[in-house]
Amino acid sequence: MHLNENGTSEQHSTNGVVDLESKVRQRLESYDQTHLLKFYSELSQSEKGKLLSDIASVDFEDIKQFFLQKIGPTDESRLSPVEKDIVGSVHDPEAEAYRSRGLSAIASNSVCVLLLAGGQGTRLGVNYPKGMFDVGLPSGKTLYQIQAERILKIQKLADKHAGHSQPTAVIPWYIMTSEHTKEATEKFFDSRDYFGLDRSNVVFFEQNMIPCIDFQGKVLLESKCKLARSPVVEDMERRGVEHINIYGVDNILVRIADPVFIGFAISKQADCANKVLLKNDPHERVGVVCKLDNNYKVVEYSEIPNEVSEKRDADGKLLYGASNIVNHYLSFQFAHKMCLARGHDPEAEAYRSRGLSAIASNSVCVLLLAGGQGTRLGVNYPKGMFNVGLPSGKTLYQIQAERILKIQKLADKHAGHSQPTAVIPWYIMTSEHTKEATEKFFDSRDYFGLDRSNVVFFEQNMIPCIDFQGKVLLESKCKLARSPDGNGGLYRAMRECQVVEDMERRGVEHINIYGVDNILVRIADPVFIGFAISKQADCANKVLLKNDPHERVGVVCKLDNNYKVVEYSEIPNEVSEKRDADGKLLYGASNIVNHYLSFQFAHKMCLEESSLLSYHEAKKKIPYLDVETGKMVESPSGNTGLKREKFVFDVFPYTKKFAMLEVDRESEFAPLKNDNSAGTECPDTSRAAIYKLHSRWMLQNGAKIIAPPSSNGDGCSFPKSPKTVLSNSDEGDRKTDVEFECEISPLVSYAGEGLEELCKDKEFTPPICIN
């Protein structure tokens, strides 16, 4: 006799096992999974009962649908050509009317052009910006000069069209450079006297200031800014810009501020418009403008099956032949509306205040995804118990606990509480492998000073693993191979473990969900909480720009007009590496596992997750029992099957209101995934991230850090530059890769606040540890 999860007793009888066996065999036969009973006759009675119960708990229909979905062919029904009635042509009878309307708009100074000029000329064999390239024309003109002269000419044509007696038409030229092209481009323009243009009408800005936009006006979520708060948008608004022409630098024939295109878009009352040309060949390697799930998209050539690419209409014209040439129109109002928010908004302080007020009212909780073991770190205990080697010796769990303690104090102070009353409940989702060790660890550390009643542990579920033919794997002759159901199993676990009820009892309205393995994670960040509340968001997400196309983080994008996070393992390498005309990653908005959910939305998802959320596949080297030989394969040489996972962010498509906050990598993201032999995302890099951030906090608050003497006595080993003192006035200090130990306890400062009195005009010699 043993106890069920609900505490009631259950007893297996021989007849009960036989009855269950008959039902199980029928189910297995209907789903072609009979291999699971291959060793059934060798098992003891208790082992038979255990295996049958294990199998009976499996949703084989779910496995079948998952497998069919993953291996099925591309569904052509999702694709359709763009409707003919929205397509114009430069050969249309209306083209002259479009041109007239476009020239009138230019003459009224309501048109600007925006050049995407972040790309270097590396593939052209030069080490300077593409726009400075001379293709060898008799005139020797560069791409920049050709484009500038086209602007000058179209301004004159607009003045003539409007009958202006004096030149008054102005087309502001916004030039988006990158870190690599900014200085060279500005110097080039200056040395050429701006090619005859008025300097005040040429505006340079770096590409991390406004979002990249695709042809249908959807902001690509890897962008690093809130356009609405960018000085560029404010400048456009001040100038009265109504129409924006965006184009790439590397088309020598590009028609800038083409009045036919501008007039066409205005006539169609379009928010967005796109110039296209007909593909020369159905297999030409260019993006194709079409509709996917009834939404306008640019679909990469590699994503369209050959037989679909070759389809033609009754006139022999390719149905999927409209190729994108990076020449777009956006109305100013639509561009403004589609902006993203970033953490440097002027409203950041207002967000922080609103977030602190919510925390002070005890309506905020945090939820930690702590199901992972530290195997890749070289340890056999939960990741949260790992010590990266800070001077204090603190583990990830302790650092996070102390951040909660500190933000509670900040909230009390903000609200004017005379006594500590702010409470942030901490919900910790463990797994079968981490539950016991985590609970014992917290108990042995007296919960790091937190009230035990406000730390709630609960466990995620385990589900069967399958092979590449869709068959469930065995771990032993009497046990199915299982794995955790992913951090998206959170919603089922919250429902089954009564976490939802506990939150409701406490009056929780706002939930901050985060992963265990980011040493810089800002837990219950009041700026993030306040931002989400201000946006009235069901869901919100923190993001940052990827450093590298193969960085192992999920990418935020829209799929079928729904917000999604696509895992790095689901994006082919060649897709991850794709860049736009200026060299910027097309899929670069990285998810850092720091989410906001309103309680009401989370509650709904907990009730409906089984019908709404589907599994993702992860190919893994899964140890299994070979049913042919009856032997265990403990250490497979290659991937042996699929682990099915749901992800916490799989609920994003079901939100009615989504918001996104971009944050700084150096302040908020230093993942811990590997041991030090990997050289990245390891204890050494996590420790260095803390040192660098905390050193910067000290410098910003007026501290002077004196580098200790090196072995030869020169006193200049920290940093490597010939300075012995670092202060906030030192040139480039914010980008200095500090090499000395500097740790500030979360109990002293949550995000760099409250350090001025401690640091101002004081000298510190590393190693520095402030507790």
Side-chain angles (χ1 to χ4, degrees), residues 111 145 166 288 296 298 352 379 526 538 561 622 649 662 708:
V111 175
Q145 183 171 352
Q166 298 292 325
V288 173
Y296 298 108
V298 175
R352 183 176 185 272
V379 297
D538 292 325
N561 208 35
I622 305 170
F649 43 72
E662 195 224 307

Side-chain angles (χ1 to χ4, degrees), residues 534-768:
S534 298
K535 299 297 182 183
Q536 298 181 313
D538 292 325
C539 302
N541 197 35
K542 282 193 175 185
V543 298
L544 49 78
L545 193 65
K546 288 170 69 172
N547 274 332
D548 178 83
H550 304 300
E551 189 175 358
R552 296 164 68 88
V553 289
V555 173
V556 184
C557 60
K558 291 187 81 174
L559 178 65
D560 301 335
N561 208 35
N562 292 310
Y563 296 102
K564 294 271 291 183
V565 176
V566 182
E567 274 297 292
Y568 67 88
S569 58
E570 297 183 31
I571 302 177
N573 286 342
E574 62 271 18
V575 176
S576 297
E577 293 168 354
K578 287 184 177 181
R579 298 177 182 269
D580 63 17
D582 296 300
K584 188 175 182 181
L585 289 171
L586 285 173
Y587 300 92
S590 59
N591 174 51
I592 59 172
V593 195
N594 198 324
H595 315 301
Y596 164 93
L597 267 67
S598 71
F599 173 77
Q600 292 301 323
F601 183 70
H603 192 179
K604 179 183 178 184
M605 290 298 101
C606 289
L607 296 176
E608 301 178 9
E609 60 86 23
S610 60
S611 62
L612 295 180
L613 308 186
S614 58
Y615 289 106
H616 303 263
E617 68 175 61
K619 297 177 181 178
K620 298 287 185 179
K621 297 178 181 179
I622 305 170
Y624 68 101
L625 181 73
D626 189 329
V627 295
E628 299 299 326
T629 65
K631 296 180 180 179
M632 276 298 299
V633 180
E634 297 284 0
S635 302
S637 58
N639 294 326
T640 55
L642 303 173
K643 290 185 177 181
R644 296 173 298 138
E645 302 173 299
K646 293 181 180 180
F647 298 136
V648 62
F649 43 72
D650 285 341
V651 299
F652 287 2
Y654 305 103
T655 178
K656 293 181 180 178
K657 181 71 173 178
F658 182 77
M660 194 167 74
L661 185 74
E662 195 224 307
V663 298
D664 291 328
R665 182 181 295 268
E666 291 185 354
S667 298
E668 299 206 30
F669 191 60
L672 180 61
K673 306 287 187 184
N674 312 304
D675 62 25
N676 283 328
S677 65
T680 183
E681 298 185 351
C682 60
D684 283 350
T685 56
S686 292
R687 193 170 58 249
I690 286 284
Y691 292 165
K692 187 172 183 178
L693 177 62
H694 291 186
S695 298
R696 195 170 78 217
W697 288 355
M698 294 186 70
L699 295 172
Q700 289 170 344
N701 281 276
K704 296 180 179 179
I705 300 176
I706 303 176
S710 63
S711 57
N712 62 11
D714 64 11
C716 297
S717 61
F718 300 101
K720 289 183 178 178
S721 63
K723 297 177 182 176
T724 58
V725 177
L726 287 178
S727 71
N728 201 41
S729 61
D730 288 329
E731 182 180 354
D733 72 276
R734 295 187 182 211
K735 297 297 182 185
T736 301
D737 289 321
V738 292
E739 301 176 10
F740 46 78
E741 295 180 3
C742 181
E743 181 188 3
I744 300 172
S745 169
L747 297 173
V748 175
S749 183
Y750 174 84
E753 79 292 330
L755 296 174
E756 186 172 2
E757 184 178 346
L758 177 68
C759 296
K760 190 171 179 59
D761 298 327
K762 295 179 182 177
E763 295 183 353
F764 296 85
T765 301
I768 303 165

Side-chain angles (χ1 to χ4, degrees), residues 1 54 75 86 165 219 222 261 267 319 349 368 488 565-566 584-585 658 700 718 746:
M1 183 178 290
D54 201 6
D75 187 2
I86 70 165
S165 57
V219 178
E222 76 271 15
F261 184 39
S267 298
L319 285 174
E349 190 53 42
L368 168 61
V565 176
V566 182
K584 188 175 182 181
L585 289 171
F658 182 77
Q700 289 170 344
F718 300 101

Side-chain angles (χ1 to χ4, degrees), residues 303-352:
E303 298 176 36
I304 301 178
N306 287 340
E307 62 273 16
V308 176
S309 297
E310 294 168 354
K311 288 192 172 184
R312 298 177 182 269
D313 63 17
D315 299 315
K317 190 175 181 180
L318 289 170
L319 285 174
Y320 298 93
S323 59
N324 177 46
I325 60 171
V326 194
N327 196 324
H328 318 302
Y329 164 92
L330 263 69
S331 71
F332 175 79
Q333 291 302 322
F334 185 70
H336 195 174
K337 178 182 176 182
M338 297 303 290
C339 312
L340 300 177
R342 75 176 296 187
H344 301 299
D345 283 346
E347 294 99 332
E349 190 53 42
Y351 295 151
R352 183 176 185 272

